[in-house]
Amino acid sequence: MKYFTGQHGTRGIARRHLRNFVVSLQHHSGEHPRVDLFRKLSGVPQLSGVAEPYIPTLVGRYYIPLLNHVVEAGDTASTDISKLLNKEVLCRANLGKVLEKVQVSLAGVFFGSRMFENFKNHMMESHCVSVGSAQMVDLDQAMDQAYSMFVYSDGMRAFSHVRGARCLQRWFRAGVWPPRMREVGVEVVGGE
């Protein structure tokens, strides 16, 4: 809203332009994977009303590191992310670099290895192109395919943090220290 208010001056005009932007985003999301991914990451529902969960941390936790990793490797046409994503042509990236970063993102996640294998097989079967000796993949397709895995990974990480905090709360409220902490000799002040 701040962007549209800054561009158009008044709040009413900004809302009208924002509404037009969201509607056009919904209409054109099926035309290109980059537009569809932007719609998902922005939390804008599909025209059918089905909304993906809005998770603001996905971009910073998964997508920016993936893009940085691919660009730093020098396997793309451009070394500047903004130039890379503003092109209307397909952006190809080294499949190995994409897989490497996606695998790191899913490390330690329940069913993460199985999801990674499915992603890898799908990328190799339908989106992979040989360019010289390197296997290249359409970066837009790869990021769109990785979306559901990143949402799952983020949800599982949040679940493990909440579960761990609840477990610690039970121990501390009851005045009982976890067995592992007793083994390493952690002193309990005013406790047992």
Side-chain angles (χ1 to χ4, degrees), residues 143-180:
M143 291 193 316
D144 194 42
Q145 290 293 323
Y147 174 79
S148 60
M149 291 188 307
F150 290 158
V151 169
Y152 176 79
S153 175
D154 197 65
M156 290 304 289
R157 289 187 201 297
F159 175 73
S160 66
H161 290 301
V162 169
R163 188 170 151 237
R166 286 185 182 153
C167 187
L168 286 174
Q169 284 175 348
R170 272 187 298 202
W171 286 331
F172 287 115
R173 285 181 184 153
V176 178
W177 280 82
R180 177 76 183 120

Side-chain angles (χ1 to χ4, degrees), residues 76-160:
T76 58
S78 175
T79 56
D80 183 13
I81 292 175
S82 62
K83 289 180 184 175
L84 183 72
L85 294 178
N86 284 333
K87 294 182 178 179
E88 293 182 15
V89 296
L90 288 177
C91 174
R92 300 225 181 259
N94 186 314
L95 177 64
K97 294 297 178 186
V98 171
L99 292 177
E100 185 179 302
K101 195 60 181 180
V102 170
Q103 187 173 23
V104 167
S105 300
L106 294 173
V109 175
F110 186 65
F111 279 126
S113 59
R114 179 170 289 164
M115 292 175 69
F116 173 74
E117 286 302 318
N118 291 341
F119 174 76
K120 178 180 170 184
N121 292 337
H122 180 73
M123 285 290 112
M124 292 182 81
E125 290 171 6
S126 51
H127 300 291
C128 194
V129 174
S130 293
V131 177
S133 62
Q135 295 288 321
M136 303 297 270
V137 67
D138 178 11
L139 190 58
D140 293 322
Q141 290 289 337
M143 291 193 316
D144 194 42
Q145 290 293 323
Y147 174 79
S148 60
M149 291 188 307
F150 290 158
V151 169
Y152 176 79
S153 175
D154 197 65
M156 290 304 289
R157 289 187 201 297
F159 175 73
S160 66

Side-chain angles (χ1 to χ4, degrees), residues 11-122:
R11 192 174 180 148
I13 295 172
R15 279 190 182 156
R16 190 175 330 133
H17 283 281
L18 177 60
R19 191 175 309 121
N20 290 339
F21 176 73
V22 169
V23 169
S24 66
L25 188 60
Q26 290 173 326
H27 281 290
H28 297 290
S29 67
E31 294 178 14
H32 196 278
R34 196 177 299 165
V35 177
D36 192 43
L37 182 63
F38 178 78
R39 181 193 57 77
K40 290 175 186 175
L41 292 173
S42 301
V44 175
Q46 296 174 352
L47 277 176
S48 62
V50 178
E52 284 82 8
Y54 174 64
I55 306 169
T57 57
L58 281 182
V59 174
R61 190 174 293 159
Y62 299 106
Y63 285 100
I64 298 297
L66 173 63
L67 287 172
N68 283 334
H69 187 68
V70 168
V71 169
E72 285 171 3
D75 293 326
T76 58
S78 175
T79 56
D80 183 13
I81 292 175
S82 62
K83 289 180 184 175
L84 183 72
L85 294 178
N86 284 333
K87 294 182 178 179
E88 293 182 15
V89 296
L90 288 177
C91 174
R92 300 225 181 259
N94 186 314
L95 177 64
K97 294 297 178 186
V98 171
L99 292 177
E100 185 179 302
K101 195 60 181 180
V102 170
Q103 187 173 23
V104 167
S105 300
L106 294 173
V109 175
F110 186 65
F111 279 126
S113 59
R114 179 170 289 164
M115 292 175 69
F116 173 74
E117 286 302 318
N118 291 341
F119 174 76
K120 178 180 170 184
N121 292 337
H122 180 73

